[in-house]
Amino acid sequence: MKTLVAPSMLSADFGKLAEETRRVELAGADWIHLDVMDGHFVPNLTVGPGVVKALRPVTRLPLDVHLMIENPERYLEVFVEAGADRITVHAEACADLARTVKKVRSAGAQVGVALRPRTDWKVLSGCLEAIDLALLMTVNPGFGGQAFMPEVLPKIEALREVFDRHIQVDGGINDKTAAQTRSAGADVMVAGTYLFRAADVRQAIASLRGEP
Ligand code: DX5
Ligand code: ZN
């Protein structure tokens, strides 16, 4: 499976989001990852559909929207209308995960389901056929710049045995931890701090794919 790279715009300069988006697109990014936080599901607040809409005309890359919000069903349509290509909801935030997954699909986007580091992958068992992506968080969601949690690696391996679509990792991803997650079976690398602090973002993106 080809490794894809999705820069997390959470670590970009928010005063220049359009420019930063173009910069990572030109440097070889595959998707643009947008972290939506509501101050309830996680203790932080970030951006909403207005920012998705503003970035839609800026890039040709898919907009990969990671909803770290309670009751995500309420906002699915507004994010799809704003231009989200893929919506990832947290299993822990859904009262009826199968129903939310269906609603994302019928709103017209690809569907991802995210799990906090300590959530068992088996909560996905009932919907593996219905989703395009599983996001296995490698930090506790809420903030950029945290340390990668290696205890998630066996979960990646276990899920890879039964799931042949995208396994995305998010949190503390750099050249070294990307290599560990790729060997475990992940194929989509989300990275914020590592990419936006890099002196050469093209080279940093390539390094997440294991290229020199
Ligand atoms: C954290 C977000 C991540 C975050 C990753 O809750 O989901 O996308 O931006 O940031 P780094 O790469 O700095 O750990
Ligand atoms: Zn994220």
Side-chain angles (χ1 to χ4, degrees), residues 61-201:
L61 298 181
L63 298 179
D64 179 42
V65 176
H66 177 191
L67 297 183
M68 285 160 274
I69 65 177
E70 295 289 358
N71 195 8
E73 275 191 21
R74 203 171 147 191
Y75 298 98
L76 299 174
E77 281 174 10
V78 72
F79 277 103
V80 174
E81 275 162 30
D85 296 280
R86 174 174 298 95
I87 294 191
T88 296
V89 297
H90 268 266
E92 304 90 352
C94 297
D96 181 342
L97 182 59
R99 187 185 66 193
T100 310
V101 163
K102 268 192 208 140
K103 287 201 170 171
V104 176
R105 182 82 66 203
S106 50
Q110 301 242 308
V111 195
V113 177
L115 304 180
R116 285 185 179 126
R118 271 182 279 279
T119 303
D120 196 309
W121 72 264
K122 291 193 175 126
V123 308
L124 299 177
S125 325
C127 65
L128 288 177
E129 298 293 316
I131 64 178
D132 303 291
L133 171 147
L135 166 49
L136 300 185
M137 292 299 300
T138 41
V139 298
N140 284 310
F143 299 91
Q146 305 181 76
F148 175 80
M149 296 168 66
E151 55 269 42
V152 180
L153 292 167
K155 180 158 78 170
I156 301 172
E157 284 169 6
L159 180 62
R160 185 43 93 203
E161 296 214 346
V162 296
F163 185 61
D164 62 4
R165 302 185 190 159
H166 294 304
I167 298 183
Q168 184 177 51
V169 285
D170 183 2
I173 298 297
N174 56 38
D175 52 344
K176 292 176 192 69
T177 58
Q180 293 175 274
T181 64
R182 286 197 315 271
S183 323
D187 67 297
V188 187
M189 307 288 132
V190 175
T193 309
Y194 176 70
L195 293 181
F196 286 97
R197 285 210 189 136
D200 180 343
V201 70

Side-chain angles (χ1 to χ4, degrees), residues 15-37:
K16 302 185 198 162
L17 269 186
E19 227 173 294
E20 295 276 76
T21 301
R22 284 189 209 103
R23 184 163 77 93
V24 290
E25 178 172 9
L26 283 172
D30 297 287
W31 301 349
I32 298 298
H33 185 84
L34 296 169
D35 290 297
V36 176
M37 307 189 190

